[in-house]
Amino acid sequence: MPDVPIRKPPPPFRAVEVIRTEPLTPRMMRVVVGGAALDGFGQPEPASSIRVVIPWPGDEFELPEWTGNEFLLADGRRPALRTFTPVTFDAAAYEMTFDIVRHPGGAISTWAETAGPGDPVAVSGPGRSEVIDPEASRAIVVGDETAIPAIRQLIETTPASIALDITIEVTTPEAELPLPDRDGCEVRWSVLDPTHAPGTALLPPVVAAEIGPDDRVWAAGEAAGVQRIRKHLKERDVPRQHTTVRGYWKVPRD
């Protein structure tokens, strides 16, 4: 009897190539990829996601295969795969842009520092959107550097009737990026104490906020950090349907 897939297959990977890269700040690199394989790629909605695969150092580029539970390379290894927020997608030009937080040791971050035009890469998606409930009167939004692209899109697309109270955790002031101007939107940049765990600066504004029935909470960042936010909201009996809490990455284990 053939193996039965345990999970619904995600969209397949599409082989594209690097068009150009651009350092935005000492902490953020922009990558533009493109190719005819993007024909028919769905238009990403705000704060959605794409999977990105690059070759491991020294490997030939290879599209991973879905096994029913995960993507694997032909030899059984996991691919160099990470999830990002698509910044823009130009369907006519077959070009997609995404931003990568620059950090030592990260497989895709390291790749992006030297990637050049024509280098192979693959993308899959788009994943689900994470928009603010249009019935809300205010949204408390917290996120770290990995969430900046999604937060920018939330500012651009959230109805003007919804006030936005935003806190962004950065590792250094040089990581701050321009965000869209919008009435009723307050943005605070909070520099993380290097002795503290990622996400530490995101919990206090949620704890301090008075969260009413017309308020919503959106949080994204390091998995353990946002899990503390999820736990706090549960303890306050904030309805789960009024919250969006997403772990975008994990601190590597020793």
Side-chain angles (χ1 to χ4, degrees):
M1 176 181 288
D3 292 336
V4 177
I6 299 173
R7 296 168 56 192
K8 179 182 177 181
F13 276 97
R14 299 166 182 249
V16 292
E17 62 182 33
V18 174
I19 304 298
R20 61 186 177 276
T21 63
E22 175 191 358
L24 300 179
T25 72
R27 289 283 296 172
M28 192 76 79
M29 177 71 76
R30 174 157 292 176
V31 178
V32 181
V33 301
L38 291 176
D39 184 27
F41 194 94
Q43 186 66 43
E45 295 183 347
S48 60
S49 64
I50 55 170
R51 290 182 173 95
V52 175
V53 160
I54 62 165
W56 287 114
D59 282 6
E60 294 292 327
F61 178 67
E62 175 188 346
L63 288 177
E65 294 289 335
W66 180 249
T67 66
N69 275 309
E70 61 182 334
F71 283 105
L72 292 177
L73 301 174
D75 61 8
R77 290 180 299 154
R78 290 183 174 178
L81 183 160
R82 296 294 184 271
T83 301
F84 298 94
T85 299
V87 174
T88 61
F89 174 53
D90 186 334
Y94 302 144
E95 288 190 3
M96 179 176 295
T97 301
F98 55 94
D99 293 344
I100 299 173
V101 175
R102 306 168 76 179
H103 60 287
I108 294 188
S109 174
T110 301
W111 165 85
E113 295 297 330
T114 58
D119 284 357
V121 60
V123 297
S124 167
R128 66 179 178 179
S129 175
E130 298 173 351
V131 298
I132 304 297
D133 181 354
E135 299 300 317
S137 62
R138 179 180 68 141
I140 300 154
V141 176
V142 297
D144 64 14
E145 292 169 11
T146 63
I148 292 176
I151 290 173
R152 181 188 299 117
Q153 293 171 4
L154 292 178
I155 296 172
E156 292 172 338
T157 60
T158 298
S161 60
I162 302 175
L164 295 177
D165 187 340
I166 299 172
T167 300
I168 302 175
E169 177 185 277
V170 291
T171 55
T172 171
E174 288 75 22
E176 296 182 19
L177 280 163
L179 293 175
D181 277 334
R182 176 191 183 279
D183 289 340
C185 177
E186 181 179 357
V187 178
R188 291 177 297 276
W189 298 88
S190 182
V191 179
L192 177 68
D193 184 322
T195 65
H196 293 172
T200 301
L202 300 182
L203 182 58
V206 178
V207 172
E210 300 234 1
I211 305 174
D214 294 329
D215 295 333
R216 302 293 184 266
V217 179
W218 188 98
E222 198 279 324
V226 297
Q227 181 59 30
R228 291 191 289 272
I229 294 172
R230 188 193 302 277
K231 179 182 178 183
H232 171 76
L233 294 171
K234 183 177 180 180
E235 291 171 348
R236 288 178 63 175
D237 293 323
V238 177
R240 185 71 177 265
Q241 66 268 27
H242 290 182
T243 70
T244 298
V245 181
R246 298 283 181 261
Y248 277 4
W249 63 285
K250 293 181 179 180
V251 172
R253 294 182 178 180
D254 294 332

